[in-house]
Amino acid sequence: MRRAIDTLFGRLVVIVIGMLVLSHVAWFAIIRFERDNVQTRFAVEEAVFLVEAVRQHIANTPDQPLPPRVRVVALASPDVPRQPDEDMPPPLQRFVEDLKDRLPDGTDVRLNEPGGPPSVWVHGAKDSGWIVVPVQPLRPPRSRDRMLVWLALIFSTAVLAALFGAWQLQYPLRSLAQAVGRFGRGQPTPPVPERGPRELRQLTHGFNQMVREVSQTESDRAVMLAGVAHDLKTPLARLRLRAEMMDDEKMRDGVVRDVDSMAHIVDQFLVFAHDRPDGSEPVPVDEQCERIARAYRAVSPGAQPIRLKLEAGPSFALPAATLDRMLSNLLDNAHAYGAPPVVIETRREAKGWVLSVSDHGKGIAPDDLIKASRPFVRLDPARGGSGHSGLGLAIVERLARRVGGECEIGNRAEGGLQVAMTFPFDIATQPVEERRSGPQHEERVL
């Protein structure tokens, strides 16, 4: 099961959002703390200014009235508030301490009793009474903190910009990963645009160069192999014609068998060297498996029985020529080296359509499984004289990858070799032009 967190973009999103959340929360805490400090300092400066102004007013113009909410109270007045206690909130304690620091030594500072307008009472050593001045509330009540609104707006904008940047960063890498997957499956791989950071451009450039060199090498090898195989067809035809004219029947039959084996090897070479995508129309795999099994039985009456187990349904379709070549090679391989019955099975799984061919023989040694699909590799030296070139499974794997599938070769638990090919669900929906340019339960014995 694919998870979004497993992708590069998903992890970039998690990192970016996590860092933005952490930074915004830290900045919010710092701004709130600094705002409280600034508010306290402003209130202290305002109170000091008013106290000094009242003192100047009393000294210079005692007969003039004081401004509203500013007054001088006698020392023995019952309205004088009591000394501040230790249960005072921290902001108010900080305000009183800062105010005492700004006033002369020995100044007594008290706050108005709760319930009345906020004011501060100041009595210095030279003051004849208490100077009462208003102060701004340190924490005015607010229905909504606007800072949170601005923080949410800035955070949303930053997240969108960061996600766009992360997408721009991972998009070239995703294109490169898709091209690597196509190249690994043997499908045509067009050059990947060289975009993104310098290191990614260098990586993309190296990949494009590697694809060009590998494609050129494969093309040269395919041309050479196809040329040799094609040039051998004419001498083989002449050799067979001359063999038919031999008088010795035993020698004639031996030469004809050898010529037929060589012709079969040449045909395998031509199929393996064919490097163009299959442009034939897709056909239902279940129906085609039935036709191939009947045709195989008709051509070889003494061949091993073929058992069909077709469960995929009509939605599973593959190009006709590719399907015929894969099944023909697998049936030839099973009949030559396996044991009856040979089972052709189709089914639908979570990861795609599955087409498998298995037999009930001895299978392949575990150490040789990795070499089974390599071209020109014969796992049994005794097979060399039977018209086999070691290309059967290699052709099957190449054909499966060419149409976007994967081929897995392994031994069955009950015994025998099984070749399972898995194809994506959309393989049959691809238009013919795209494939040319790139890439009910039933069981019976026939």
Side-chain angles (χ1 to χ4, degrees):
M1 179 178 178
R2 295 184 59 185
R3 297 181 301 172
I5 194 63
D6 288 336
T7 63
L8 175 62
F9 181 69
R11 298 195 178 191
L12 286 175
V13 167
V14 172
I15 293 175
V16 167
I17 294 181
M19 295 300 295
L20 286 176
V21 169
L22 181 62
S23 62
H24 279 70
V25 169
W27 275 111
F28 179 73
I30 293 173
I31 291 174
R32 287 294 298 268
F33 178 76
E34 288 297 325
R35 186 182 67 177
D36 293 342
N37 288 340
V38 170
Q39 190 178 30
T40 302
R41 288 196 297 268
F42 177 79
V44 169
E45 295 295 334
E46 183 182 34
V48 171
F49 173 79
L50 291 176
V51 169
E52 293 297 332
V54 170
R55 286 174 177 170
Q56 293 293 331
H57 177 82
I58 294 175
N60 298 326
T61 56
D63 54 339
Q64 295 293 329
L66 293 171
R69 296 187 60 190
V70 176
R71 56 198 175 103
V72 177
V73 180
L75 296 177
S77 174
D79 296 334
V80 177
R82 58 186 176 84
Q83 289 282 354
D85 52 19
E86 297 180 355
D87 295 336
M88 185 184 300
L92 296 180
Q93 291 181 1
R94 187 167 58 249
F95 170 74
V96 172
E97 292 174 357
D98 291 347
L99 187 57
K100 288 181 178 180
D101 292 339
R102 290 297 311 276
L103 294 173
D105 295 338
T107 302
D108 190 4
V109 176
R110 301 182 187 183
L111 297 178
N112 193 25
E113 295 294 338
S119 58
V120 60
W121 295 59
V122 178
H123 173 64
K126 299 180 180 180
D127 295 333
S128 59
W130 290 91
I131 300 176
V132 183
V133 296
V135 293
Q136 295 293 333
L138 296 182
R139 290 198 174 183
R142 295 184 181 181
S143 59
R144 183 178 61 180
D145 196 335
R146 294 183 179 179
M147 186 181 298
L148 292 177
V149 178
W150 283 105
L151 186 66
L153 181 61
I154 296 173
F155 177 77
S156 302
T157 305
V159 167
L160 292 177
L163 293 183
F164 179 75
W167 183 81
Q168 289 286 345
L169 180 63
Q170 64 87 36
Y171 182 77
L173 192 58
R174 184 180 62 177
S175 301
L176 180 60
Q178 293 174 349
V180 171
R182 292 178 59 87
F183 182 71
R185 292 190 297 268
Q187 297 176 322
T189 306
V192 181
E194 299 177 10
R195 295 176 297 185
R198 181 180 60 184
E199 293 81 2
L200 186 56
R201 294 198 305 270
Q202 292 175 348
L203 177 62
T204 306
H205 178 76
F207 173 77
N208 290 334
Q209 185 176 1
M210 180 191 68
V211 170
R212 287 193 298 268
E213 293 178 356
V214 171
S215 300
Q216 184 63 38
T217 303
E218 287 288 332
S219 178
D220 294 343
R221 184 170 65 91
V223 169
M224 180 187 66
L225 190 60
V228 172
H230 183 272
D231 292 342
L232 286 176
K233 277 186 169 293
T234 301
L236 286 175
R238 291 198 301 262
L239 186 59
R240 182 184 179 87
L241 179 61
R242 291 175 182 175
E244 294 289 349
M245 300 174 61
M246 289 183 178
D247 296 333
D248 190 340
E249 181 178 355
K250 184 176 181 180
M251 182 176 294
R252 181 179 67 241
D253 293 341
V255 173
V256 170
R257 283 196 303 271
D258 290 341
V259 172
D260 290 341
S261 297
M262 295 177 64
H264 177 73
I265 293 175
V266 169
D267 291 338
Q268 292 287 78
F269 281 1
L270 289 175
V271 173
F272 184 77
H274 179 75
D275 197 33
R276 289 175 297 176
D278 187 1
S280 59
E281 293 293 337
V283 295
V285 174
D286 289 1
E287 297 179 6
Q288 192 70 3
C289 288
E290 292 183 3
R291 287 195 291 266
I292 292 176
R294 283 197 297 266
Y296 206 91
R297 182 64 175 174
V299 173
S300 304
Q304 305 168 2
I306 300 176
R307 179 177 299 170
L308 299 179
K309 189 177 180 182
L310 309 176
E311 301 176 347
S315 299
F316 182 22
L318 289 174
T322 296
L323 181 59
D324 290 344
R325 289 170 183 168
M326 290 191 301
L327 288 179
S328 298
N329 279 278
L330 290 176
L331 291 176
D332 287 342
N333 187 79
H335 286 144
Y337 310 118
V342 177
V343 181
I344 301 177
E345 182 179 1
T346 63
R347 61 184 181 274
R348 178 190 177 104
E349 293 185 351
K351 56 185 177 180
W353 302 108
V354 177
L355 168 63
S356 66
V357 177
S358 57
D359 60 63
H360 290 71
K362 297 181 179 179
I364 298 177
D367 295 339
D368 293 334
L369 282 175
I370 194 173
K371 300 184 295 183
S373 61
R374 293 179 181 175
F376 308 107
V377 173
R378 299 189 186 96
L379 303 180
D380 184 1
R383 299 176 180 180
S386 302
H388 294 275
S389 58
L391 287 175
L393 295 180
I395 291 174
V396 171
E397 184 178 37
R398 172 171 286 199
L399 292 175
R401 289 188 174 183
R402 192 170 292 164
V403 294
E406 294 291 339
C407 182
E408 182 179 357
I409 303 173
N411 293 317
R412 300 170 62 248
E414 303 83 359
L417 183 69
Q418 182 181 52
V419 180
M421 295 161 286
T422 305
F423 302 92
F425 291 120
D426 60 346
I427 185 64
T429 62
Q430 294 180 358
V432 176
E433 293 77 8
E434 182 179 343
R435 286 186 282 104
R436 285 174 178 171
S437 62
Q440 315 318 350
H441 180 73
E442 180 179 4
E443 181 175 353
R444 57 183 175 275
V445 177
L446 297 181

